[in-house]
Amino acid sequence: MDDRSKVRTGLAAVAALCAVATAPGPAGQAWAAPADGAAEARPYRTEGTLIHGTDDAEGAPLLKPGLGYVDSIAAGQRRYYSVRLDATSGAYVSAVAAPRPGAGVVSYQDRVKVTLASPDGTTCGSSDRKIEANGVAYPIADYVARQVASGSVASCRKAGRYVVTVERGAGSQDPAGWPLELRLMVEPPVKGGDTGQAPEGSWRTTPPELPKGKARSRQGGTGFNDARPLSTGVWADQIRPGETHFYRVPVDWGQRLDATAELPAGKTGEAAGVNDALGLRVFNPARGLTKKSSFEAYEGQEAQAEADTVPVAYGNRSARADYSVRTMSFAGWYYLAVTVNPDVTRFFKGSVPLTVRVRISGTAKAGPTYDGDAVGAGFGLTDADRRGAAQGPATGDDAVAAADDTDKGRLRMVGYVSYAVGALLLLGLGGWTLAARRRTPAAAAPAAGPGRHRRYGPPPAW
């Protein structure tokens, strides 16, 4: 290969490197985005070990406590997993199915059912959750529980291998597979046994007034794994249409959680209102659905979705009431999930201002005495948890930039690489020029004389 070919080859490689460095996505691939109002929405962030559920119970892979697992599930598909439980601990297996923002979901047809069966095949728990807002794709999450308290099914209190079944509805209009996140949490037994049911009067109370005042900025996460901590107060966020933002709130024994999500007035005119514009859901520390609000409509005026819970009590799990009471049965991080319909782009350009109001009310009490590390298993709070929720990693004006951290980091990296590539290119050209000036072989060089001049620098073909 001659010198000119070497130079051209080198520059082609540098140009390719520049192209990769500045391409908008991993490994130079462009990011796919839905062609609708949710084009800029961030999807749910899964976290965990890759796992493949089986088509039958016999060879179902094992889920271990405290670890996250990630799979996918197609419409009409049924996946099997297994867990090994002792005879004394409570167990909660959660499943999060996350259609991409903007997916063509249909309310009450797009659904996910989770079932837990004992070693002899007895159903110990089941959950069937559906998309409840037509055309609004958001993460569906809930758990199935195995309780060992008196009154539960005897075969479900035995030690052994239990089977978890996750089934996605066959009537889905979304052809894509949904990311599926699974987690097993094991709650240690309580010394002395069941502590009894909380008195009914302890939770039939009027919701407290929510806080007012200046909002502090806090960017919501995309899922349970990156949910941002909140405490009592007013919080400001920016949410893209089609996104679901997650926050986590520390709620102790004897305390209750009340929250609202609010959209401001948008541009008015002839734009039609949006049904199912704003939704708010509450999940407990084991990712069980605790409370949900009906999706609120939006017509250009202020809109608000609200949710409130009962106080946390161990005995709530056996209360003769609906799931919103039974799921408030342990202390720890509770989660708020706020979803905005992609169609609100009719009223807003770009991100939508979102206000979240939170109040944790009630005096924290001592909980039951566990025979094991309940806090380490995810059931309970530390002083650091409470301080972190109040302070947070970003409060005040410095949090305004938090929403763009990923994009800015990517742009900074592109800038650093571009500078480095440019420097290498200049050094390469300088080195080539210097070498060319020094290279004057007598046999190849034309004789000096009238009409003959040595040529330095790049070849003429450049």
Side-chain angles (χ1 to χ4, degrees), residues 298-324:
Y298 188 79
E299 297 180 349
Q301 305 301 318
E302 294 182 3
Q304 174 180 289
E306 59 184 29
D308 57 84
T309 75
V310 304
V312 176
Y314 186 90
N316 284 346
R317 65 193 64 197
S318 57
R320 295 183 179 275
D322 64 15
Y323 72 93
S324 65

Short mmCIF file of all heavy atoms in Angstrom, two decimals, residues 298-324:
data_model
loop_
_atom_site.label_atom_id
_atom_site.label_comp_id
_atom_site.label_asym_id
_atom_site.label_seq_id
_atom_site.Cartn_x
_atom_site.Cartn_y
_atom_site.Cartn_z
N TYR A 298 -58.86 16.05 31.36
CA TYR A 298 -58.19 17.36 31.28
C TYR A 298 -58.78 18.14 30.12
O TYR A 298 -58.88 17.63 29.00
CB TYR A 298 -56.68 17.18 31.09
CG TYR A 298 -55.91 18.47 31.20
CD1 TYR A 298 -55.62 19.03 32.43
CD2 TYR A 298 -55.50 19.14 30.05
CE1 TYR A 298 -54.93 20.23 32.52
CE2 TYR A 298 -54.81 20.34 30.13
CZ TYR A 298 -54.52 20.88 31.38
OH TYR A 298 -53.84 22.07 31.47
N GLU A 299 -59.18 19.37 30.40
CA GLU A 299 -59.78 20.23 29.38
C GLU A 299 -59.10 21.59 29.30
O GLU A 299 -59.71 22.58 28.90
CB GLU A 299 -61.27 20.39 29.67
CG GLU A 299 -62.05 19.09 29.61
CD GLU A 299 -63.53 19.27 29.89
OE1 GLU A 299 -63.91 20.37 30.33
OE2 GLU A 299 -64.30 18.32 29.66
N GLY A 300 -57.85 21.65 29.69
CA GLY A 300 -57.12 22.90 29.65
C GLY A 300 -57.10 23.64 30.96
O GLY A 300 -56.34 24.59 31.13
N GLN A 301 -57.90 23.19 31.91
CA GLN A 301 -57.92 23.78 33.24
C GLN A 301 -57.14 22.88 34.20
O GLN A 301 -56.78 21.74 33.87
CB GLN A 301 -59.36 23.96 33.73
CG GLN A 301 -60.24 24.75 32.78
CD GLN A 301 -59.70 26.16 32.52
OE1 GLN A 301 -59.24 26.83 33.45
NE2 GLN A 301 -59.74 26.60 31.27
N GLU A 302 -56.88 23.40 35.40
CA GLU A 302 -56.15 22.60 36.37
C GLU A 302 -56.87 21.28 36.64
O GLU A 302 -58.09 21.23 36.71
CB GLU A 302 -55.99 23.38 37.69
CG GLU A 302 -55.11 24.61 37.56
CD GLU A 302 -54.94 25.34 38.89
OE1 GLU A 302 -55.48 24.83 39.91
OE2 GLU A 302 -54.29 26.38 38.92
N ALA A 303 -56.09 20.20 36.75
CA ALA A 303 -56.64 18.87 37.02
C ALA A 303 -55.85 18.23 38.15
O ALA A 303 -54.65 18.49 38.31
CB ALA A 303 -56.61 18.01 35.77
N GLN A 304 -56.52 17.37 38.90
CA GLN A 304 -55.89 16.76 40.07
C GLN A 304 -56.36 15.32 40.25
O GLN A 304 -57.54 15.02 40.12
CB GLN A 304 -56.25 17.57 41.33
CG GLN A 304 -55.78 16.95 42.63
CD GLN A 304 -56.17 17.79 43.83
OE1 GLN A 304 -55.61 18.87 44.04
NE2 GLN A 304 -57.14 17.32 44.60
N ALA A 305 -55.41 14.44 40.51
CA ALA A 305 -55.70 13.06 40.89
C ALA A 305 -55.21 12.88 42.31
O ALA A 305 -54.15 13.39 42.68
CB ALA A 305 -54.99 12.08 39.96
N GLU A 306 -55.97 12.17 43.13
CA GLU A 306 -55.60 12.05 44.54
C GLU A 306 -55.72 10.61 45.01
O GLU A 306 -56.48 9.81 44.45
CB GLU A 306 -56.49 12.96 45.39
CG GLU A 306 -57.97 12.68 45.29
CD GLU A 306 -58.80 13.67 46.08
OE1 GLU A 306 -58.36 14.83 46.24
OE2 GLU A 306 -59.89 13.27 46.53
N ALA A 307 -54.94 10.30 46.04
CA ALA A 307 -54.97 8.97 46.64
C ALA A 307 -54.61 9.09 48.11
O ALA A 307 -53.75 9.90 48.47
CB ALA A 307 -54.00 8.02 45.94
N ASP A 308 -55.29 8.33 48.93
CA ASP A 308 -54.99 8.33 50.37
C ASP A 308 -55.01 6.90 50.88
O ASP A 308 -55.67 6.02 50.30
CB ASP A 308 -56.00 9.18 51.13
CG ASP A 308 -57.43 8.71 50.91
OD1 ASP A 308 -57.88 7.79 51.60
OD2 ASP A 308 -58.10 9.27 50.01
N THR A 309 -54.28 6.64 51.94
CA THR A 309 -54.19 5.29 52.49
C THR A 309 -54.66 5.28 53.94
O THR A 309 -54.88 6.33 54.55
CB THR A 309 -52.74 4.77 52.44
OG1 THR A 309 -51.97 5.41 53.47
CG2 THR A 309 -52.10 5.02 51.09
N VAL A 310 -54.79 4.09 54.49
CA VAL A 310 -55.07 3.93 55.91
C VAL A 310 -53.74 3.86 56.65
O VAL A 310 -52.69 3.66 56.04
CB VAL A 310 -55.90 2.65 56.16
CG1 VAL A 310 -57.17 2.68 55.32
CG2 VAL A 310 -55.08 1.41 55.85
N PRO A 311 -53.73 4.01 57.97
CA PRO A 311 -52.48 3.88 58.72
C PRO A 311 -51.91 2.46 58.63
O PRO A 311 -52.64 1.48 58.55
CB PRO A 311 -52.89 4.22 60.15
CG PRO A 311 -54.12 5.04 60.02
CD PRO A 311 -54.84 4.48 58.83
N VAL A 312 -50.60 2.38 58.67
CA VAL A 312 -49.91 1.09 58.59
C VAL A 312 -50.08 0.33 59.90
O VAL A 312 -49.81 0.85 60.97
CB VAL A 312 -48.41 1.29 58.31
CG1 VAL A 312 -47.68 -0.05 58.33
CG2 VAL A 312 -48.21 1.98 56.98
N ALA A 313 -50.54 -0.91 59.80
CA ALA A 313 -50.68 -1.79 60.96
C ALA A 313 -50.48 -3.23 60.51
O ALA A 313 -50.98 -3.62 59.45
CB ALA A 313 -52.04 -1.63 61.62
N TYR A 314 -49.78 -4.01 61.29
CA TYR A 314 -49.48 -5.39 60.92
C TYR A 314 -50.77 -6.18 60.71
O TYR A 314 -50.89 -6.99 59.78
CB TYR A 314 -48.63 -6.05 62.01
CG TYR A 314 -48.16 -7.44 61.65
CD1 TYR A 314 -46.95 -7.63 60.99
CD2 TYR A 314 -48.92 -8.56 61.97
CE1 TYR A 314 -46.51 -8.90 60.65
CE2 TYR A 314 -48.50 -9.83 61.63
CZ TYR A 314 -47.29 -10.00 60.97
OH TYR A 314 -46.87 -11.26 60.63
N GLY A 315 -51.76 -5.94 61.56
CA GLY A 315 -53.00 -6.69 61.49
C GLY A 315 -53.87 -6.34 60.31
O GLY A 315 -54.87 -7.04 60.06
N ASN A 316 -53.53 -5.29 59.56
CA ASN A 316 -54.35 -4.93 58.39
C ASN A 316 -54.42 -6.06 57.37
O ASN A 316 -55.38 -6.17 56.61
CB ASN A 316 -53.80 -3.68 57.71
CG ASN A 316 -54.13 -2.40 58.47
OD1 ASN A 316 -54.98 -2.40 59.35
ND2 ASN A 316 -53.46 -1.32 58.11
N ARG A 317 -53.40 -6.90 57.35
CA ARG A 317 -53.36 -7.97 56.34
C ARG A 317 -54.51 -8.97 56.49
O ARG A 317 -54.84 -9.68 55.55
CB ARG A 317 -52.01 -8.69 56.42
CG ARG A 317 -51.76 -9.43 57.72
CD ARG A 317 -50.28 -9.83 57.84
NE ARG A 317 -49.42 -8.66 57.91
CZ ARG A 317 -48.10 -8.69 57.69
NH1 ARG A 317 -47.52 -9.83 57.37
NH2 ARG A 317 -47.39 -7.59 57.77
N SER A 318 -55.09 -9.02 57.67
CA SER A 318 -56.22 -9.93 57.87
C SER A 318 -57.53 -9.17 58.07
O SER A 318 -58.52 -9.76 58.50
CB SER A 318 -55.95 -10.82 59.09
OG SER A 318 -55.70 -10.03 60.25
N ALA A 319 -57.54 -7.88 57.71
CA ALA A 319 -58.75 -7.07 57.88
C ALA A 319 -59.85 -7.54 56.93
O ALA A 319 -59.58 -7.96 55.80
CB ALA A 319 -58.44 -5.60 57.63
N ARG A 320 -61.08 -7.47 57.39
CA ARG A 320 -62.22 -7.81 56.54
C ARG A 320 -62.60 -6.56 55.73
O ARG A 320 -63.63 -5.94 55.96
CB ARG A 320 -63.39 -8.31 57.38
CG ARG A 320 -63.10 -9.61 58.10
CD ARG A 320 -64.31 -10.09 58.87
NE ARG A 320 -64.04 -11.37 59.53
CZ ARG A 320 -64.17 -12.55 58.96
NH1 ARG A 320 -64.58 -12.63 57.69
NH2 ARG A 320 -63.90 -13.67 59.62
N ALA A 321 -61.74 -6.21 54.82
CA ALA A 321 -61.94 -5.02 54.00
C ALA A 321 -61.27 -5.26 52.67
O ALA A 321 -60.74 -6.35 52.40
CB ALA A 321 -61.36 -3.78 54.70
N ASP A 322 -61.25 -4.23 51.80
CA ASP A 322 -60.66 -4.44 50.48
C ASP A 322 -59.15 -4.38 50.55
O ASP A 322 -58.54 -4.16 51.59
CB ASP A 322 -61.24 -3.44 49.47
CG ASP A 322 -60.89 -2.00 49.82
OD1 ASP A 322 -59.99 -1.77 50.66
OD2 ASP A 322 -61.51 -1.09 49.25
N TYR A 323 -58.53 -4.56 49.37
CA TYR A 323 -57.08 -4.62 49.29
C TYR A 323 -56.41 -3.35 49.79
O TYR A 323 -55.27 -3.39 50.27
CB TYR A 323 -56.65 -4.91 47.85
CG TYR A 323 -56.83 -3.74 46.90
CD1 TYR A 323 -55.79 -2.85 46.66
CD2 TYR A 323 -58.05 -3.52 46.25
CE1 TYR A 323 -55.95 -1.78 45.81
CE2 TYR A 323 -58.21 -2.44 45.40
CZ TYR A 323 -57.17 -1.58 45.19
OH TYR A 323 -57.34 -0.51 44.35
N SER A 324 -57.08 -2.20 49.70
CA SER A 324 -56.47 -0.93 50.09
C SER A 324 -56.17 -0.89 51.59
O SER A 324 -55.34 -0.09 52.03
CB SER A 324 -57.36 0.25 49.70
OG SER A 324 -58.57 0.22 50.43
#
